């Protein structure tokens, strides 16, 4: 089937306004989760974080619902019918049950392979929570398909903070990795319940359909979604295989340090692409048959990534020692070197994620899956021997190599459909970044700032980075920043032209 046609000139405004609420809710949850983990990290040891990270890795492999890719396949269907809704929900339930069954099979095996018994317990708990979470993905996809991003964003906004309330209690009373598993499970339950309530309010007509399972629709969803899911599995390996390498060959404590470093270093990816990828996909799908509008939106996405993600990454790179010391404590200082290396990788990650979403939205999931699997293969082939030779530092090198390779392949693939126009959208930010690093580093090292309190340096370094970065752009390329920023404001105000 052809992609669903655009809703007309109001689409840009609808996406901008709904997307603002969705992304705003995502940002709130990101910052709330970060602040909450600053509390939890005082009560949970590095090795316990490592146990949870390993359990999360195995769950990501066995999470069949996420592998189906039927959220994306839903956009390829035309009219919403009772058969489509019933089939989609049936597939979600079946996938959740299959994932739980796989976890039950792995539960007695993992300890025999030498992993801490807690890894098996975490895997089983996450799989049970994943079953509940799979029941909420269908309503969320239907709402996002209708571009009702504000509804799904607000549900996540409400559920996420509530899920931490039992986690605070458990952490204070010494429950270790179970604290993190319970928070994950509570969030899944609250989000699923909220999505069903929101679907009832936002699309009540769906409940008047007679839901039923249709084999033909199921085959169509799985055929397209399976390819998207394969790409998703490769992405999951890219996001978690390094945890497996460090946890398996270096140790759970080392993985705790690496995992916390990864969380800080990938803030640019989470804030720029992670919070918006779902919006990007559904918008790309709506614009698939309008080359000029698709080009314009892709250019805007690249600009957002470089204008906001790059200075954030620079601030993290320059202030890494202060970030770790002030936020996590001196116990976690071994994470600093990983933060600085991985934050460079985080600049590439949003571009690869967005490129993958574009290919999926244009009906090319096979290409997306092939690229991400090649990227995952590079991580496995390079990361494994490097980890054995160099420990966690070798894992970082393997991750960087894999992401650079994937970005190159995605660039070759997407330029057939859109014009990336890096000279217009990315290069000004890149040159401003090159000018910013030596200036801020020089001020931090060669002036009395080097002897100031760590908390004060943590405020000063990112502030100097932002001021010099944007000041350089405003001095040499002011229209690059002001023209597109003004366009975003116009869309949020409802101005079409």
């Amino acid at each position: 089937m052809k992609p669903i046609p655009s809703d007309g000139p109001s689409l840009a405004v609808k996406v901008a306004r709904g997307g603002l609420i969705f992304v705003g809710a995502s940002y709130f949850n990101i910052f709330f989760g970060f602040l909450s983990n600053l509390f939890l990290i005082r009560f949970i040891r590095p090795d316990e974080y490592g146990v949870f990270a390993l359990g999360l890795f195995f769950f990501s492999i066995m999470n069949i619902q996420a592998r189906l890719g039927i959220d994306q396949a839903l956009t390829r269907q035309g009219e919403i019918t009772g058969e489509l809704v019933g089939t989609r929900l049936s597939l979600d339930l079946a996938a959740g049950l299959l994932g739980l069954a796989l976890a039950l099979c792995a539960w007695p095996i993992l300890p025999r392979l030498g992993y801490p018994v807690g890894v098996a317990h975490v895997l089983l708990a996450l799989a049970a929570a994943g079953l509940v979470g799979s029941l909420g993905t269908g309503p969320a996809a239907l709402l996002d398909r209708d571009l009702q991003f504000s509804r799904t964003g607000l549900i996540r906004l409400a559920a996420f903070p509530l899920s931490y309330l039992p986690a605070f209690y458990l952490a204070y009373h010494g429950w270790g990795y179970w604290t993190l598993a319970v928070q994950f499970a509570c969030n899944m339950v609250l989000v699923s319940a909220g999505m069903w309530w929101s679907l009832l309010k936002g699309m009540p007509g769906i409940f008047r359909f007679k839901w039923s399972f249709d084999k033909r629709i199921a085959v169509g969803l799985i055929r397209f979604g399976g390819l998207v899911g394969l790409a998703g599995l490769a992405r999951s390996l890219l996001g978690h295989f390094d945890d497996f390498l460090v946890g398996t060959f270096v140790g759970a404590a080392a993985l705790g340090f690496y995992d916390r470093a990864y969380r800080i270093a990938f803030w640019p990816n989470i804030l720029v692409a992670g919070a918006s990828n779902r919006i990007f996909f559904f918008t790309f799908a709506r614009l698939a048959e309008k080359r000029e509008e698709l080009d314009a939106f892709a250019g805007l996405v690249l600009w957002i990534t470089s204008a906001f993600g790059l200075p954030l990454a620079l601030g993290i790179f320059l202030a890494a020692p202060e970030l770790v010391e002030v936020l996590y404590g001196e116990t976690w200082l071994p994470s600093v070197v990983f933060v600085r290396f991985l934050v460079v990788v985080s600049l590439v990650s949003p571009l690869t994620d967005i490129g993958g979403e574009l290919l999926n939205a244009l009906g090319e999931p096979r290409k997306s899956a092939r690229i991400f699997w090649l990227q995952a293969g590079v991580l496995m082939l390079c990361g494994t021997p490097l980890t054995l030779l160099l420990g966690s530092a070798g894992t970082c090198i393997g991750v960087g190599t894999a992401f650079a390779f994937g970005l190159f392949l995605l660039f070759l693939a997407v330029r057939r459909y859109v014009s990336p126009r890096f000279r217009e959208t990315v290069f000004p930010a890149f040159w401003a970044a090159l000018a910013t690093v030596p200036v801020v580093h020089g001020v931090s090292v060669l002036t009395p700032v080097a002897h100031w309190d760590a908390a004060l340096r943590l405020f000063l370094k990112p502030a100097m980075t932002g001021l010099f970065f944007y000041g350089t752009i405003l001095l040499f390329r002011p229209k690059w920043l002001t023209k597109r920023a003004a366009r975003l404001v116009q869309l949020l105000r409802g101005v079409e032209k």
Side-chain angles (χ1 to χ4, degrees):
M1 293 184 182
K2 293 182 179 180
I4 300 168
S6 169
D7 286 344
S10 64
L11 176 61
V13 173
K14 188 175 183 181
V15 170
R17 287 180 168 176
L20 178 65
I21 296 174
F22 184 94
V23 172
S26 298
Y27 284 176
F28 174 84
N29 285 343
I30 289 168
F31 284 115
F32 182 87
F34 169 70
L35 293 175
S36 299
N37 275 285
L38 292 185
F39 172 81
L40 298 180
I41 207 168
R42 267 62 183 178
F43 301 96
I44 303 175
R45 301 190 310 270
D47 61 303
E48 292 175 322
Y49 269 105
V51 167
F52 180 78
L54 276 171
L56 187 61
F57 164 74
F58 289 112
F59 170 68
S60 70
I61 302 301
M62 300 176 191
N63 186 8
I64 303 300
Q65 199 282 331
R67 305 286 78 82
L68 287 179
I70 48 181
D71 281 5
Q72 290 83 349
L74 199 63
T75 64
R76 312 293 295 180
Q77 303 294 318
E79 182 182 358
I80 295 178
T81 63
E83 290 80 7
L84 177 60
V85 174
T87 303
R88 165 64 204 256
L89 297 177
S90 299
L91 290 175
D92 286 335
L93 178 60
L97 289 171
L98 181 56
L100 180 58
L102 291 174
L104 284 168
C105 293
W107 182 52
I109 297 174
L110 289 175
R112 296 181 181 180
L113 294 177
Y115 292 100
V117 68
V119 174
H121 294 333
V122 168
L123 169 61
L124 195 59
L126 296 185
L131 171 60
V132 178
S134 68
L135 300 179
T137 58
L142 290 168
L143 289 164
D144 286 342
R145 182 186 187 274
D146 198 45
L147 303 184
Q148 295 192 41
F149 301 121
S150 58
R151 289 185 177 274
T152 55
L154 290 173
I155 291 299
R156 294 184 173 95
L157 176 64
F160 193 68
L162 292 175
S163 70
Y164 270 94
L165 295 180
F168 294 150
Y169 176 85
L170 294 177
Y172 183 76
H173 287 83
W175 282 58
Y177 57 78
W178 281 113
T179 300
L180 305 172
V182 168
Q183 185 276 321
F184 181 93
C186 288
N187 187 57
M188 286 286 187
V189 172
L190 291 171
V191 168
S192 291
M195 290 303 174
W196 278 101
W197 178 84
S198 189
L199 185 67
L200 178 62
K201 297 295 183 181
M203 302 178 71
I206 286 180
F207 292 88
R208 291 193 287 269
F209 293 146
K210 182 180 179 181
W211 299 351
S212 61
F213 180 83
D214 186 295
K215 183 179 178 180
R216 180 185 57 82
I217 293 177
V219 171
L221 290 173
I222 294 175
R223 181 176 296 168
F224 182 89
L227 293 172
V228 175
L230 285 174
L233 177 58
R235 286 189 189 184
S236 183
L237 286 172
L238 284 170
H240 296 285
F241 190 74
D242 49 347
D243 291 342
F244 168 77
L245 290 175
V246 176
T248 300
F249 299 117
V250 186
L255 176 55
F257 291 121
Y258 181 89
D259 178 71
R260 292 300 95 188
Y262 196 98
R263 303 293 178 179
I264 292 178
F266 268 68
W267 282 352
N269 183 17
I270 295 170
L271 293 174
V272 176
S276 309
N277 271 350
R278 197 171 180 88
I279 297 172
F280 294 158
F281 170 78
F282 284 100
T283 307
F284 284 144
R286 289 296 185 97
L287 298 176
E289 295 182 339
K290 296 189 174 184
R291 178 62 183 267
E292 284 190 23
E293 294 182 31
L294 182 64
D295 251 7
F297 184 72
L300 184 62
V301 169
L302 277 177
W303 175 80
I304 291 172
T305 303
S306 56
F308 300 108
L310 189 52
L312 178 60
L314 288 177
I316 293 171
F317 180 87
L318 293 166
E322 292 80 12
L323 272 170
V324 173
E325 181 180 352
V326 174
L327 300 181
Y328 290 170
E330 293 185 0
T331 302
W332 295 85
L333 283 176
S335 299
V336 171
V337 65
F338 304 139
V339 171
R340 282 187 158 162
F341 190 94
L342 291 171
V343 76
V344 178
V345 178
S346 76
L347 292 174
V348 177
S349 181
L351 299 177
T352 59
D353 288 344
I354 292 166
E357 296 292 357
L358 176 61
L359 289 175
N360 290 335
L362 296 179
E364 296 287 355
R366 193 181 302 275
K367 290 183 179 180
S368 176
R370 185 184 303 120
I371 290 171
F372 282 111
W373 272 106
L374 287 171
Q375 194 176 357
V378 170
L379 174 58
M380 294 177 190
L381 293 174
C382 294
T384 302
L386 286 172
T387 301
L388 291 171
L389 288 172
L390 303 174
S392 302
T395 307
C396 290
I397 297 172
V399 170
T401 304
F403 274 98
F405 179 71
L407 180 63
F408 173 72
L409 293 181
L410 279 165
F411 168 73
L412 295 179
V414 302
R415 68 176 182 172
R416 294 182 54 190
Y417 307 98
V418 296
S419 302
R421 295 180 293 190
F422 290 121
R423 186 182 299 274
E424 300 175 19
T425 56
V426 176
F427 282 9
F430 176 76
W431 293 118
L434 287 182
T436 299
V437 171
V439 171
V440 176
H441 181 69
V443 171
S444 303
V445 174
L446 302 176
T447 68
V449 171
H451 306 290
W452 291 1
D453 182 74
L456 187 57
R457 296 199 310 272
L458 176 57
F459 170 79
L460 185 63
K461 284 186 178 181
M464 287 193 301
T465 300
L467 286 173
F468 196 84
F469 177 86
Y470 289 115
T472 302
I473 291 177
L474 289 173
L475 183 63
F476 294 102
R477 291 289 300 273
K479 290 185 178 180
W480 179 86
L481 184 64
T482 58
K483 186 177 179 180
R484 291 177 175 85
R487 177 56 180 153
L488 280 178
V489 173
Q490 286 179 337
L491 291 174
L492 294 173
R493 293 174 57 192
V495 178
E496 292 291 340
K497 298 294 183 181

